[in-house]
Amino acid sequence: MFTRAFWKATGERMIRTFAQGTLGVVSADGLGIVDVDWGQAASVGGLAAALALLTAVATSGAGQPGPGITETVTRTPYGV
């Protein structure tokens, strides 16, 4: 949890989760793009991203270097 690679992977996961949550709300309504309540959709995406962050922090004590229980973060040399 105290590595840059962990936080980079966690940030990427939060962004993906935000997008998935937001798009899930938008597509579930079956509305046109101008009819969507974007504030509500962004709120759901934000909650999903916050839960992804909490999950990553909670599972970081499992002895794995990555933000998930079964994944690992590989470190590559700079410039590669």
Side-chain angles (χ1 to χ4, degrees):
M1 180 168 118
F2 300 108
T3 65
R4 182 179 176 103
F6 173 87
W7 289 109
K8 180 179 177 186
T10 299
E12 290 175 5
R13 175 181 285 183
M14 289 175 65
I15 292 168
R16 285 192 313 261
T17 303
F18 175 84
Q20 291 168 349
T22 303
L23 291 174
V25 169
V26 169
S27 64
D29 282 341
L31 302 172
I33 195 162
V34 295
D35 299 325
V36 174
D37 181 356
W38 288 103
Q40 181 183 13
S43 176
V44 170
L47 177 60
L51 292 174
L53 171 65
L54 292 174
T55 301
V57 170
T59 58
S60 67
Q64 298 295 328
I69 295 173
T70 60
E71 65 186 318
T72 59
V73 176
T74 56
R75 294 183 182 160
T76 58
Y78 292 105
V80 175

